[in-house]
Amino acid sequence: MMRSALITGASRGIGRGIAMELAGQGFGLTVTARREQDLKDLAAALKDNGAPEVHYRTADLVDREASAAVVAEHQRCFGTLNALVLSGGVGTAGPIGDLPAHRFDKTFAVNVDSAMAIIQAALPMLRAGAEADPTHGSRVIALASITGVYAEPNLAAYGAAKAALISLMETLNAEESARGVMGTAIAPAFVQTDMSAWTTDTVPADSMIQVSDIVAVVRMLVDLGRTASITKIVVGRSGTSGYQA
Ligand SMILES: NC(=O)c1ccc[n+]([C@@H]2O[C@H](COP(=O)([O-])OP(=O)(O)OC[C@H]3O[C@@H](n4cnc5c(N)ncnc54)[C@H](OP(=O)(O)O)[C@@H]3O)[C@@H](O)[C@H]2O)c1
């Protein structure tokens, strides 16, 4: 039986690493990000890495309908879904006193609203995926952040959005895990990607968590049996208190 996965934010960073891993494991894949050419190149790389079938569709995650259309594309191509990986996300920094409303709104739209829209659209396929694979069930894996668990100055909007995502995974588990659909929020400190490049003068890049480490966590999650549910995994950075990004 071929398992399948849908991955947002697959063009770069953590999402790309996860897509390459699942390709290597033989998952059929649907991938999304904003630019057609990036996805075309990615699809070729995923096939080279072993994916039996790759489909892609561009979507801006601020657009709920475009996000749901990616799920419809997966439905058309695969019919069921075993792993939904929500890695598409955006960060913003600024103190609460000064943070413009439009930046707060965009942070929530990309990180939270899209996740809700995609999960809602994908739930029937995730349930069907769990039925078709009673050994593993199916998984929603959302990239949250350690800032959604422990507050960090200047990251109010980002932290609140990631806390919302963690809560969404908890409720998903409460509602769906008996049917074999489990949700996990991965909440890492700084991971060395484009997203954390702004802070390498204060947090050296080589002290950051590596994409391969988050990929290892995902490898474990897709390997777990259906009676094992892990709601949240906090990944700290060595050399810190464990309570900071
Ligand atoms: N890096 C870190 O330190 C860190 C730590 C904790 C959690 N995270 C979380 O992990 C996830 C992945 O982060 P990353 O470090 O891999 O970031 P990244 O390298 O900046 O990649 C972000 C991904 O999200 C996509 N994306 C961004 N805005 C989008 C939008 N409006 N519509 C559609 N796609 C959009 C990007 O696609 P495009 O090619 O279209 O831009 C890209 O594929 C994010 O949710 C992030 O919040 C990251």
Side-chain angles (χ1 to χ4, degrees):
M1 184 200 67
M2 179 178 74
R3 291 205 273 172
S4 71
L6 188 164
I7 301 162
T8 72
S11 56
R12 292 181 284 120
I14 296 168
R16 185 184 175 93
I18 294 169
M20 292 299 273
E21 166 67 23
L22 296 183
Q25 289 197 24
F27 276 72
L29 298 172
T30 302
V31 289
T32 185
R34 283 171 292 187
R35 283 174 293 272
E36 184 93 15
Q37 189 59 46
D38 289 353
L39 294 176
K40 202 173 172 189
D41 296 345
L42 173 67
L46 293 170
K47 281 195 182 135
D48 284 349
N49 217 40
E53 197 177 330
V54 182
H55 299 272
Y56 60 85
R57 191 178 172 107
T58 58
D60 189 326
L61 292 173
V62 296
D63 179 346
R64 277 199 185 84
E65 281 175 19
S67 302
V70 179
V71 180
E73 175 73 3
H74 187 93
Q75 167 97 52
R76 189 180 66 74
C77 302
F78 295 103
T80 64
L81 178 58
N82 305 91
L84 171 60
V85 180
L86 302 169
S87 193
V90 70
T92 191
I96 291 174
D98 298 335
L99 195 70
H102 73 268
R103 283 194 17 223
F104 187 85
D105 291 350
K106 177 158 185 194
T107 306
F108 265 72
V110 174
N111 293 295
V112 186
D113 299 5
S114 76
M116 184 66 175
I118 291 171
I119 292 167
Q120 285 185 318
L123 207 41
M125 270 198 297
L126 286 161
R127 290 176 184 148
E131 256 182 51
D133 183 4
T135 303
H136 297 100
S138 59
R139 304 248 165 209
V140 178
I141 299 169
L143 267 300
S145 161
I146 201 167
T147 62
V149 185
Y150 309 116
E152 188 102 350
N154 295 318
L155 293 180
Y158 185 68
K162 295 305 190 179
L165 202 50
I166 292 167
S167 174
L168 196 53
M169 289 303 101
E170 287 173 351
T171 310
L172 181 73
N173 261 330
E175 291 181 358
E176 293 291 331
S177 59
R179 269 187 276 224
V181 181
M182 279 75 65
T184 303
I186 303 178
F190 284 122
V191 182
Q192 192 190 351
T193 67
D194 293 350
M195 189 180 274
S196 54
W198 64 279
T199 193
T200 45
D201 52 343
T202 52
V203 180
D206 63 5
S207 77
M208 292 183 181
I209 298 161
Q210 297 301 299
V211 168
S212 57
D213 298 318
I214 305 304
V215 169
V217 172
V218 171
R219 195 181 303 131
M220 173 193 74
L221 288 169
V222 298
D223 202 33
L224 287 175
R226 74 173 284 158
T227 54
S229 144
I230 302 179
T231 300
K232 173 173 69 188
I233 299 174
V234 178
V235 187
R237 201 160 47 81
S238 308
T240 71
S241 64
Y243 301 97
Q244 67 189 77

